[in-house]
Amino acid sequence: MNKTLILPASLDNLESFLAHVRRFATSWGADGKLLYSVELSLEEALVNVISYAYPKEEKGNVEVSCSWDSQQGLAIEIVDYGAAFNPLASPDPDTGLSLDERQIGGLGILLTKKMMDKVTYERSQGKNIFTMIKQFPG
């Protein structure tokens, strides 16, 4: 079963995307702790896409698809047609450094990688495809 929501890349649509995934995940038994991980990771990824995928004068769409597989778990795929960008290509920030010594950025994707069970990126046919997978216990 796959459910897709396509909306303009706008922060005004962030809650709609979150609600879409929340409904899907709870229909498969996600509890509060799982939902927290999923929603926080989804919000981080979507804010990045909304903020950076398209030039300011051009607003494209974002597609958020949810699917369930009993072996794999919940898969959330975020697709945009903006500039190619692999958020997984940058090294993780050194969290051992003080705030003054750290470079800006990268903490959100690090958090996503730690909260989700699998995170992948691919560029295919002019699309950025960012996929996050979360396994449910039991």
Side-chain angles (χ1 to χ4, degrees), residues 1-2 24 28 66-70 72-75 134-136:
M1 181 163 130
N2 184 321
F24 188 87
W28 289 99
C66 303
S67 61
W68 173 261
D69 177 288
S70 60
Q72 186 169 299
L74 172 68
K134 185 68 176 175
Q135 297 173 336
F136 293 9

Side-chain angles (χ1 to χ4, degrees), residues 2-41:
N2 184 321
K3 297 284 184 181
T4 301
L5 178 63
I6 302 170
L7 294 171
S10 168
L11 289 175
D12 293 338
N13 292 323
L14 184 59
E15 183 50 43
S16 295
F17 285 121
L18 291 169
H20 168 71
V21 172
R22 186 180 312 120
R23 278 190 301 274
F24 188 87
T26 55
S27 74
W28 289 99
D31 62 12
K33 185 176 179 182
L34 270 168
L35 279 175
Y36 177 78
S37 297
V38 167
E39 288 183 18
L40 188 60
S41 298

Side-chain angles (χ1 to χ4, degrees), residues 3-134:
K3 297 284 184 181
T4 301
L5 178 63
I6 302 170
L7 294 171
S10 168
L11 289 175
D12 293 338
N13 292 323
L14 184 59
E15 183 50 43
S16 295
F17 285 121
L18 291 169
H20 168 71
V21 172
R22 186 180 312 120
R23 278 190 301 274
F24 188 87
T26 55
S27 74
W28 289 99
D31 62 12
K33 185 176 179 182
L34 270 168
L35 279 175
Y36 177 78
S37 297
V38 167
E39 288 183 18
L40 188 60
S41 298
L42 177 63
E43 183 173 345
E44 180 60 38
L46 284 171
V47 167
N48 283 337
V49 168
I50 290 167
S51 300
Y52 305 114
Y54 299 102
K56 294 291 180 212
E57 64 278 355
E58 172 197 334
K59 279 299 176 187
N61 289 333
V62 178
E63 301 173 20
V64 175
S65 299
C66 303
S67 61
W68 173 261
D69 177 288
S70 60
Q71 300 296 312
Q72 186 169 299
L74 172 68
I76 302 165
E77 186 177 87
I78 301 168
V79 175
D80 71 76
Y81 297 84
F85 177 70
N86 181 354
L88 303 175
S90 299
D92 290 340
D94 184 349
T95 56
L97 296 174
S98 71
L99 291 177
D100 292 335
E101 296 173 309
R102 265 190 237 162
Q103 295 230 342
I104 295 174
L107 288 175
I109 192 64
L110 176 63
L111 180 71
T112 298
K113 290 191 296 189
K114 291 193 178 295
M115 295 185 98
M116 301 300 283
D117 293 305
K118 183 177 181 184
V119 181
T120 62
Y121 168 85
E122 72 175 291
R123 178 79 178 177
S124 177
Q125 299 176 335
K127 301 184 285 190
N128 293 303
I129 305 166
F130 186 74
T131 304
M132 304 181 296
I133 296 172
K134 185 68 176 175

